[in-house]
Amino acid sequence: MSSDQFQTGRLTQFRELLERSDAALVLTAMAAFYLLFLGVGAILNYDVAGLISILGQVTFFTAVYALIVLALNLHWGYAGLFNIGIAGFMAVGVYTMAMLTAPPTGSPPGLGLPIAVGIVGGMLAAALVGLVTALPALRLRADYLAIVTVAISEIIRLTYNSPAFSTFTLPGGIALGTGGASGIGNFPSNPVRAIYYVDPSSAASGTTPIGAAVFGFFEAVFGVVRSAVIVDLTYGLVLAVVVFLVYTLLARVGNSPFGRVLKAIREDEVVAKSLGKDTNRFKIKTFMLGCALMGLAGVLWQGFGTGAVYPQAFRPELTFYIFIAVIIGGAGSNTGSVLGGAVFANLLFLLPQYLPTMIEQTFSIQANPNNFIAAVGPIAAGEIAPLLGYILNQRLPALRFVFVGVLLVYLMQNRPEGLLGHRTETAAAVDLSEGHTPGGQTGTDLTAPDEGGVDNE
Amino acid sequence: MELYARGQQLLRDQPGLVVVAVAAMLLVGDLFGKLLGGGLTAARFGGFVWDGLVIGLLIGLAGIGLSLTYSILGFANFAHGDYISWGAFSGWAVAYLLAGIDRYAAGGLLLIGAGDGPAPGDVGVSITNTPGSILAGLVVAVGFTIGVSLLVDRLVYRPIREADGITLLIASIGVAFVLRYLIVFFFYSGRQGVTDISRVPSYDIGGVVINAHELTIVAIALALMVGVHLLLQRSKLGKAMRAMADNRDLAQVTGIPVEGVIRTTWILGGGLAGAAGYLVVLTQGTIAYDLGWLLLLLIFAAVIMGGIGSVYGAIVGGLVIGLASRLSLIWLTGDLSSFAEPVAFGLMIFVLLFRPEGIFGGVSTA
Amino acid sequence: MKEVSTMSSESAADSIGEDPAVDTAGDGDEDPPLRVENLRKEFGGITAVDGASFTVADESLTGLIGPNGAGKSTTFNCITGVHEPTDGAVYFNGTDIAGLAPNVIANRGLVRTFQIARELAEMTVLENLMLAPQRQQGEALYRSILPPFRDGVIEEETELREAVWESLEFFEIDHLAEEQAGNLSGGQRKLLELARALMTDPDMLLLDEPFAGVNPTLETKLLDRINQLRAEEGLTFLLVEHDMDIIMEHCDPVIVMHQGHVLAEGRPEEIRNNERVVDAYFGEQQ
Ligand SMILES: Nc1ncnc2c1ncn2[C@@H]1O[C@H](COP(=O)(O)OP(=O)(O)OP(=O)(O)O)[C@@H](O)[C@H]1O
Ligand SMILES: [Mg+2]
């Protein structure tokens, strides 16, 4: 009895903690996802290296999705800018990075500049393309802006895809290239590798002192020998730090007079203008900052995360993924964005990749028909396995898209404010309630509005 | 003097428009130079024009529905391209079935050659070889797509009829995902040959080669367009649609059966989209689950150019976009030919920026 | 109708002589703060404002009245840049502002409220007011995010917060400070709008029926405040109001609009006795 009460008490306390503290909420969610995927790994009989690897994946995808969703939230959640050209801006970021840093002798040739220059250059290029888009397009209605941005993103993708710029020569004789349909794969490898390997581009080159120590530690404790797993995990943690930094940056943007104007623009642009705010300037700056962050996300995800960029990675589907994530989290909230990104990355993106193997292993399904008729035909004979085999082995990615679509429709019909509810964060650089001069009524006394004494309608 | 002042005014008010107009004039001038100077043969030019007309008619046909739903329901339907794809797949499944049932198992035919199904060359579908199956496929494409659009409206859009345009737009993206990947689920995700090009006769008209499938497309598209025209002229439907596009609440008060008009809009728009999708395969010779999505931006371009809500605008816009994308190949040679589509998107962006009411805006009919 | 009955009431007989505006209105041949010339606005086929011309004297509380649909709100919209006038000129402190963007006009010190209150519904009352002050340092993106500048922003925010709370207390909506503005009642919203407009530190305010739904005691207090702002800080007010008692008692001069143009302009007692004005109101009723 009393221990029951005690437990409910603890539970309520915990729930209150989650409601009060965004950090606790995010950490709890991440802990849940890590547990979930450890479970997945256990079902699949992974060894310790496999388990660490799966945790590294969870960290990576959560982080990159959180990053890009935060950037979109700045556009859509903060300023109401309906940008559905995200994939294009990501492409500009990572392609610029790759073209700036790839070796001049490679194929396609690059400029061979340092990685840092590449990252900053990628962000600047994405911001510039954002500026070119924003200058004319921000005057447009939201749905026109959507069509323009998706068209621009396709123009960007088709341009990178075109053989015309596969390699070209800049004035001055400097050769450069996008690699056309096959993309660029020879830009410098993930800078995190420099922590562990003497030559970051080759694991065989020998380990640095740090590398030796860390690998040695993991080997001693877990018996892990695959260093790549540890490198990936490290990169995931680096990304988590980046997400934290970007979150802090955006929280500052939101909790400031600048963010207040954005909020006003989203609600009623005419009012913001009538109060003397040059709303176009605010929108352009916001659009450029968001695009720069999208460029950064492209660099960290498709660039260093994948190790090669190619145009097909930037189809509009990617944009819609990110939209779904932001809608799940609830547009307008940075914490919601991180959570939305995490939910999408783990439950809708990563988990379905493990599902078929898990189900097959559990139910030992062998059938693998290669077309729908062959899959449903045997049902007449009472055999369901071919259909399951068809679904699991042939069509699970397609069904995932179908599910995502259904989810989107469901959300629009039932919870347009987001799965995690509508969260509002006060837009001010200081705690506004504190300013109440002593002696007056207290600012926290929230009389219900209809009881307010001023209304005599 | 007067003209000069007006020109100055225009330059100040709409600098972008002036730049576009100047660029267009330069291109036309260059075109004449090329034609007269022999850089471009008349036959090649004619070929581009013909190709542009064929694809333009299809874009226009599909655009009618997008334009109507955009103005009457107030949102940009991003699933419209996938109605087109379903038109293609449903129609061709039946065309295949009818053309090959005497020789092959029904399953492989219905799935348009999925898995180990029969190859297009073996089935031998073409307008001259199997005209009956082609026409039956068209009817099914239209009917099936009407069914899809009505079902989607009932399940998705009707419950949120009063929601704002962006909410509906996002919902339509969801619908697009569902429809597109259901095609992958039932059929396949690659691009596959469908028609038997070797059996399609072609005719040389002054150096321009025109094949029977293209002629079929032009004939059917024109017939459908005339049909829509008559429907809107002879019935009160056009008027009711215009009233609803202007103000749905007012239309309801004045006794227009709002839901009925919406249903008719979907029937018209869905049917034409299905037909367009089916016919696109006839000219491309291949079918793919994302064929409609790939066309969608071009269709948006046409609809916006023609002025949202205008049936005739959509048709003319389709022709402009079709011709622009093909004629751009006169200049975009070699590796640059991959920029034909971006050129059309670019045109659309220009229209949105400088004439968001469409270049034919103001003469909107139905 | 309410307008008509209050028209003929005698309640507003005196108090006009004490109007601060009367003394200052004629000082020098300076430009009046606001001069509207031949203003026209068409919406499609409807002509909402049809060649209206009037001036508003410095530091006055000028009334703008007229039957429903006379074009008062549209005139406000054209003056403040919310709509671009079809034709005509609007001079604010001597320069033509017709067709300028609303924010540019507001930056110059001409600020308005809306007839149907446009509170920012999903922002708190506090946020609504914090938004209003013009040229805040923190409106520059880099100042809001970069550490060395951020301190200045925080300092400024702290000062603004004081001013905002003072304003809330004056308008007697401080108990609603942290409520979402969308949850306020109609009258409370109008108060919020007025408070917000004042926070912009304007030279001239256009108020579109600011007292609708506000209780009479507070109304008097607000009118006193308006007169105080005119006298002490030199603000000018143009007030659209349907309550004739307020107009007759507090406004001088009064401009009457009808069917898009100015029907009459003069002191309240002249307006009250003007037959065309009375006809316009009665004509509206028939
Ligand atoms: N945005 C608009 N589009 C079309 N017509 C409009 C618009 N705004 C106002 N009108 C019309 O212009 C005319 C004048 O309206 P306005 O709102 O200026 O009158 P008003 O004097 O403020 O009336 P009220 O006392 O009712 O507030 C009316 O006929 C109105 O219907
Ligand atoms: Mg009004």
PDB file of all heavy atoms in Angstrom, chain C residues 43 46 48 67-74 83 115 209 242, ligand 1:
ATOM      1  N   PHE C  43     -11.799  49.264 -53.921  1.00  0.00           N
ATOM      2  CA  PHE C  43     -11.610  47.803 -53.846  1.00  0.00           C
ATOM      3  C   PHE C  43     -12.419  47.213 -54.983  1.00  0.00           C
ATOM      4  O   PHE C  43     -13.642  47.197 -54.904  1.00  0.00           O
ATOM      5  CB  PHE C  43     -12.137  47.236 -52.539  1.00  0.00           C
ATOM      6  CG  PHE C  43     -11.397  47.714 -51.322  1.00  0.00           C
ATOM      7  CD1 PHE C  43     -11.973  48.645 -50.479  1.00  0.00           C
ATOM      8  CD2 PHE C  43     -10.141  47.223 -51.012  1.00  0.00           C
ATOM      9  CE1 PHE C  43     -11.307  49.075 -49.355  1.00  0.00           C
ATOM     10  CE2 PHE C  43      -9.475  47.651 -49.884  1.00  0.00           C
ATOM     11  CZ  PHE C  43     -10.050  48.581 -49.058  1.00  0.00           C
ATOM     12  N   ILE C  46     -15.844  48.722 -55.585  1.00  0.00           N
ATOM     13  CA  ILE C  46     -16.325  49.562 -54.482  1.00  0.00           C
ATOM     14  C   ILE C  46     -15.358  50.719 -54.235  1.00  0.00           C
ATOM     15  O   ILE C  46     -14.154  50.512 -54.158  1.00  0.00           O
ATOM     16  CB  ILE C  46     -16.413  48.737 -53.178  1.00  0.00           C
ATOM     17  CG1 ILE C  46     -17.305  47.523 -53.397  1.00  0.00           C
ATOM     18  CG2 ILE C  46     -16.923  49.596 -52.031  1.00  0.00           C
ATOM     19  CD1 ILE C  46     -17.230  46.517 -52.270  1.00  0.00           C
ATOM     20  N   ALA C  48     -14.309  52.916 -51.462  1.00  0.00           N
ATOM     21  CA  ALA C  48     -14.464  53.007 -50.011  1.00  0.00           C
ATOM     22  C   ALA C  48     -14.170  54.417 -49.529  1.00  0.00           C
ATOM     23  O   ALA C  48     -14.836  54.933 -48.640  1.00  0.00           O
ATOM     24  CB  ALA C  48     -13.541  52.008 -49.318  1.00  0.00           C
ATOM     25  N   PRO C  67     -21.292  57.317 -40.401  1.00  0.00           N
ATOM     26  CA  PRO C  67     -22.070  56.082 -40.282  1.00  0.00           C
ATOM     27  C   PRO C  67     -21.239  54.860 -40.688  1.00  0.00           C
ATOM     28  O   PRO C  67     -20.176  55.008 -41.282  1.00  0.00           O
ATOM     29  CB  PRO C  67     -23.242  56.284 -41.244  1.00  0.00           C
ATOM     30  CG  PRO C  67     -22.983  57.531 -41.982  1.00  0.00           C
ATOM     31  CD  PRO C  67     -21.828  58.243 -41.386  1.00  0.00           C
ATOM     32  N   ASN C  68     -21.738  53.686 -40.400  1.00  0.00           N
ATOM     33  CA  ASN C  68     -21.040  52.456 -40.785  1.00  0.00           C
ATOM     34  C   ASN C  68     -20.765  52.464 -42.282  1.00  0.00           C
ATOM     35  O   ASN C  68     -21.621  52.837 -43.078  1.00  0.00           O
ATOM     36  CB  ASN C  68     -21.895  51.226 -40.461  1.00  0.00           C
ATOM     37  CG  ASN C  68     -22.041  51.038 -38.970  1.00  0.00           C
ATOM     38  OD1 ASN C  68     -23.124  51.197 -38.431  1.00  0.00           O
ATOM     39  ND2 ASN C  68     -20.947  50.743 -38.308  1.00  0.00           N
ATOM     40  N   GLY C  69     -19.550  52.069 -42.625  1.00  0.00           N
ATOM     41  CA  GLY C  69     -19.195  51.994 -44.036  1.00  0.00           C
ATOM     42  C   GLY C  69     -18.847  53.329 -44.655  1.00  0.00           C
ATOM     43  O   GLY C  69     -18.689  53.435 -45.869  1.00  0.00           O
ATOM     44  N   ALA C  70     -18.693  54.364 -43.826  1.00  0.00           N
ATOM     45  CA  ALA C  70     -18.387  55.690 -44.359  1.00  0.00           C
ATOM     46  C   ALA C  70     -16.966  55.745 -44.922  1.00  0.00           C
ATOM     47  O   ALA C  70     -16.647  56.635 -45.705  1.00  0.00           O
ATOM     48  CB  ALA C  70     -18.556  56.742 -43.269  1.00  0.00           C
ATOM     49  N   GLY C  71     -16.118  54.833 -44.509  1.00  0.00           N
ATOM     50  CA  GLY C  71     -14.745  54.827 -45.019  1.00  0.00           C
ATOM     51  C   GLY C  71     -13.717  55.254 -43.988  1.00  0.00           C
ATOM     52  O   GLY C  71     -12.567  55.522 -44.335  1.00  0.00           O
ATOM     53  N   LYS C  72     -14.082  55.271 -42.737  1.00  0.00           N
ATOM     54  CA  LYS C  72     -13.162  55.734 -41.690  1.00  0.00           C
ATOM     55  C   LYS C  72     -11.987  54.774 -41.539  1.00  0.00           C
ATOM     56  O   LYS C  72     -10.818  55.188 -41.579  1.00  0.00           O
ATOM     57  CB  LYS C  72     -13.908  55.843 -40.344  1.00  0.00           C
ATOM     58  CG  LYS C  72     -15.181  56.691 -40.401  1.00  0.00           C
ATOM     59  CD  LYS C  72     -15.876  56.755 -39.067  1.00  0.00           C
ATOM     60  CE  LYS C  72     -16.461  55.421 -38.590  1.00  0.00           C
ATOM     61  NZ  LYS C  72     -17.619  54.955 -39.377  1.00  0.00           N
ATOM     62  N   SER C  73     -12.295  53.510 -41.379  1.00  0.00           N
ATOM     63  CA  SER C  73     -11.207  52.551 -41.187  1.00  0.00           C
ATOM     64  C   SER C  73     -10.346  52.461 -42.435  1.00  0.00           C
ATOM     65  O   SER C  73      -9.121  52.318 -42.347  1.00  0.00           O
ATOM     66  CB  SER C  73     -11.772  51.173 -40.847  1.00  0.00           C
ATOM     67  OG  SER C  73     -12.520  51.242 -39.661  1.00  0.00           O
ATOM     68  N   THR C  74     -10.968  52.534 -43.596  1.00  0.00           N
ATOM     69  CA  THR C  74     -10.187  52.481 -44.827  1.00  0.00           C
ATOM     70  C   THR C  74      -9.257  53.685 -44.903  1.00  0.00           C
ATOM     71  O   THR C  74      -8.101  53.568 -45.341  1.00  0.00           O
ATOM     72  CB  THR C  74     -11.121  52.432 -46.042  1.00  0.00           C
ATOM     73  OG1 THR C  74     -12.058  51.371 -45.853  1.00  0.00           O
ATOM     74  CG2 THR C  74     -10.339  52.204 -47.314  1.00  0.00           C
ATOM     75  N   HIS C  83      -3.086  49.760 -46.583  1.00  0.00           N
ATOM     76  CA  HIS C  83      -3.521  49.708 -47.980  1.00  0.00           C
ATOM     77  C   HIS C  83      -2.827  50.824 -48.750  1.00  0.00           C
ATOM     78  O   HIS C  83      -2.576  51.898 -48.206  1.00  0.00           O
ATOM     79  CB  HIS C  83      -5.035  49.923 -48.086  1.00  0.00           C
ATOM     80  CG  HIS C  83      -5.831  48.768 -47.591  1.00  0.00           C
ATOM     81  ND1 HIS C  83      -7.086  48.897 -47.055  1.00  0.00           N
ATOM     82  CD2 HIS C  83      -5.547  47.450 -47.539  1.00  0.00           C
ATOM     83  CE1 HIS C  83      -7.533  47.720 -46.693  1.00  0.00           C
ATOM     84  NE2 HIS C  83      -6.620  46.812 -46.980  1.00  0.00           N
ATOM     85  N   GLN C 115      -9.582  48.539 -35.614  1.00  0.00           N
ATOM     86  CA  GLN C 115     -10.972  48.521 -35.129  1.00  0.00           C
ATOM     87  C   GLN C 115     -11.299  47.188 -34.469  1.00  0.00           C
ATOM     88  O   GLN C 115     -11.806  47.140 -33.362  1.00  0.00           O
ATOM     89  CB  GLN C 115     -11.918  48.784 -36.293  1.00  0.00           C
ATOM     90  CG  GLN C 115     -13.380  48.732 -35.894  1.00  0.00           C
ATOM     91  CD  GLN C 115     -14.268  49.161 -37.039  1.00  0.00           C
ATOM     92  OE1 GLN C 115     -13.818  49.369 -38.161  1.00  0.00           O
ATOM     93  NE2 GLN C 115     -15.556  49.294 -36.757  1.00  0.00           N
ATOM     94  N   GLU C 209     -11.895  53.220 -32.792  1.00  0.00           N
ATOM     95  CA  GLU C 209     -12.828  52.768 -31.748  1.00  0.00           C
ATOM     96  C   GLU C 209     -12.101  52.071 -30.598  1.00  0.00           C
ATOM     97  O   GLU C 209     -12.344  50.899 -30.323  1.00  0.00           O
ATOM     98  CB  GLU C 209     -13.890  51.845 -32.346  1.00  0.00           C
ATOM     99  CG  GLU C 209     -14.711  52.558 -33.414  1.00  0.00           C
ATOM    100  CD  GLU C 209     -15.928  51.751 -33.849  1.00  0.00           C
ATOM    101  OE1 GLU C 209     -16.426  50.958 -33.032  1.00  0.00           O
ATOM    102  OE2 GLU C 209     -16.362  51.935 -34.993  1.00  0.00           O
ATOM    103  N   HIS C 242     -17.814  55.731 -32.122  1.00  0.00           N
ATOM    104  CA  HIS C 242     -19.253  55.765 -32.401  1.00  0.00           C
ATOM    105  C   HIS C 242     -20.043  56.392 -31.257  1.00  0.00           C
ATOM    106  O   HIS C 242     -21.189  56.785 -31.438  1.00  0.00           O
ATOM    107  CB  HIS C 242     -19.775  54.355 -32.694  1.00  0.00           C
ATOM    108  CG  HIS C 242     -19.623  53.980 -34.129  1.00  0.00           C
ATOM    109  ND1 HIS C 242     -20.175  54.702 -35.147  1.00  0.00           N
ATOM    110  CD2 HIS C 242     -18.956  52.963 -34.724  1.00  0.00           C
ATOM    111  CE1 HIS C 242     -19.861  54.156 -36.309  1.00  0.00           C
ATOM    112  NE2 HIS C 242     -19.112  53.087 -36.086  1.00  0.00           N
TER     113      HIS C 242
HETATM  114  N1  LIG D   1     -10.545  45.059 -47.760  1.00  0.00           N
HETATM  115  C1  LIG D   1     -11.718  45.468 -48.299  1.00  0.00           C
HETATM  116  N2  LIG D   1     -12.155  44.915 -49.449  1.00  0.00           N
HETATM  117  C2  LIG D   1     -13.307  45.313 -50.015  1.00  0.00           C
HETATM  118  N3  LIG D   1     -14.097  46.253 -49.510  1.00  0.00           N
HETATM  119  C3  LIG D   1     -13.723  46.849 -48.359  1.00  0.00           C
HETATM  120  C4  LIG D   1     -12.517  46.490 -47.705  1.00  0.00           C
HETATM  121  N4  LIG D   1     -12.389  47.247 -46.585  1.00  0.00           N
HETATM  122  C5  LIG D   1     -13.482  48.040 -46.566  1.00  0.00           C
HETATM  123  N5  LIG D   1     -14.287  47.812 -47.618  1.00  0.00           N
HETATM  124  C6  LIG D   1     -15.528  48.510 -47.927  1.00  0.00           C
HETATM  125  O1  LIG D   1     -15.270  49.882 -47.901  1.00  0.00           O
HETATM  126  C7  LIG D   1     -16.348  50.569 -47.318  1.00  0.00           C
HETATM  127  C8  LIG D   1     -15.864  51.419 -46.164  1.00  0.00           C
HETATM  128  O2  LIG D   1     -15.488  50.568 -45.087  1.00  0.00           O
HETATM  129  P1  LIG D   1     -14.789  51.075 -43.762  1.00  0.00           P
HETATM  130  O3  LIG D   1     -14.443  49.874 -42.976  1.00  0.00           O
HETATM  131  O4  LIG D   1     -13.706  51.996 -44.098  1.00  0.00           O
HETATM  132  O5  LIG D   1     -15.960  51.876 -43.051  1.00  0.00           O
HETATM  133  P2  LIG D   1     -16.013  52.454 -41.596  1.00  0.00           P
HETATM  134  O6  LIG D   1     -16.359  53.866 -41.747  1.00  0.00           O
HETATM  135  O7  LIG D   1     -14.791  52.141 -40.834  1.00  0.00           O
HETATM  136  O8  LIG D   1     -17.250  51.681 -40.999  1.00  0.00           O
HETATM  137  P3  LIG D   1     -17.532  51.169 -39.512  1.00  0.00           P
HETATM  138  O9  LIG D   1     -18.080  52.317 -38.768  1.00  0.00           O
HETATM  139  O10 LIG D   1     -18.543  50.101 -39.683  1.00  0.00           O
HETATM  140  O11 LIG D   1     -16.256  50.678 -38.967  1.00  0.00           O
HETATM  141  C9  LIG D   1     -17.371  49.540 -46.914  1.00  0.00           C
HETATM  142  O12 LIG D   1     -18.333  49.474 -47.933  1.00  0.00           O
HETATM  143  C10 LIG D   1     -16.573  48.264 -46.875  1.00  0.00           C
HETATM  144  O13 LIG D   1     -17.370  47.167 -47.207  1.00  0.00           O
END
